[in-house]
Amino acid sequence: LVVDQQSLLVPLIGDIDARRGERLRTTLLGFLAAQRARKVVIDLTGVAALDTHAIAHLLRCVDAARLMGARVTLSGLSADVCHAIVGLGVDLGATPTFTTLHDAIDDARAR
């Protein structure tokens, strides 16, 4: 979803498997190129759990978007998702994270 001329919102619902992760990355990169967006909010509110493979796909999306010059923010991280990410030793230090979509959008607009 296009939020404004330079921002994209990517709401995720359900499980993220290999096929869906690849489709997500391809679609996101296509939108970034077409819209020339510089900000992306990936909302995980609808994702109940992330396994190792799902986190890897998500991080590939984040990395690919950064390579295209976009600032990626993650929102809607549940306690279970946070626990899974930390448990795997994944460092999201360079990626802003927010508990709510509202806070992530406010942050994206402010930058």
Side-chain angles (χ1 to χ4, degrees), residues 74-97:
L74 299 177
S75 70
L77 281 82
S78 68
D80 289 339
V81 168
C82 290
H83 183 70
I85 290 170
V86 171
L88 292 170
V90 175
D91 180 17
L92 292 176
T95 304
T97 59

Side-chain angles (χ1 to χ4, degrees), residues 37-101:
R38 294 289 166 237
K39 302 170 200 166
V40 177
V41 175
I42 299 176
D43 183 52
L44 301 171
T45 302
V47 177
L50 290 175
D51 63 12
T52 305
H53 299 291
I55 292 170
H57 286 293
L58 182 62
L59 293 177
R60 283 187 207 114
C61 288
V62 170
D63 289 343
R66 279 195 192 126
L67 286 172
M68 292 194 66
R71 179 181 182 270
V72 181
T73 301
L74 299 177
S75 70
L77 281 82
S78 68
D80 289 339
V81 168
C82 290
H83 183 70
I85 290 170
V86 171
L88 292 170
V90 175
D91 180 17
L92 292 176
T95 304
T97 59
F98 293 90
T99 308
T100 69
L101 176 58

